[in-house]
Amino acid sequence: MEMKKTTKKRKKSPAAKRITNHHILPTSRGGKQHRSNIAKVANRKHEIYHMLFCNMTPVEIIVYLVDYFWAGQWNWVELALERRKKDEPE
Ligand SMILES: [Zn+2]
């Protein structure tokens, strides 16, 4: 008997797609209510971000990822920065 793979795409609810304000540096950690500290993100992704990272700062998140998931290999961060630099218009 052949198993059929179902690739049913889940429809996102309107609530999940609603755009919310995310404070890049959390206000509880000294982040300001200023547009330079606010990113517009879909509600569901915003919820998931905070489930994963609570109110960690961006630097704490990077250090956490390197220490716990990338076995202390900072070269991945360097590669990302190099790639980002290369993609930036001059
Ligand atoms: Zn947020």
Side-chain angles (χ1 to χ4, degrees), residues 20-24 41 46 49-50 54:
T20 58
N21 288 337
H22 167 68
H23 293 87
I24 299 163
V41 294
H46 195 181
Y49 177 95
H50 284 290
C54 303

Side-chain angles (χ1 to χ4, degrees), residues 61-74 76-77:
I61 292 168
I62 292 167
V63 170
Y64 176 79
L65 291 173
V66 171
D67 287 348
Y68 286 93
F69 291 96
W70 305 335
Q73 296 183 54
W74 282 93
W76 291 106
V77 176

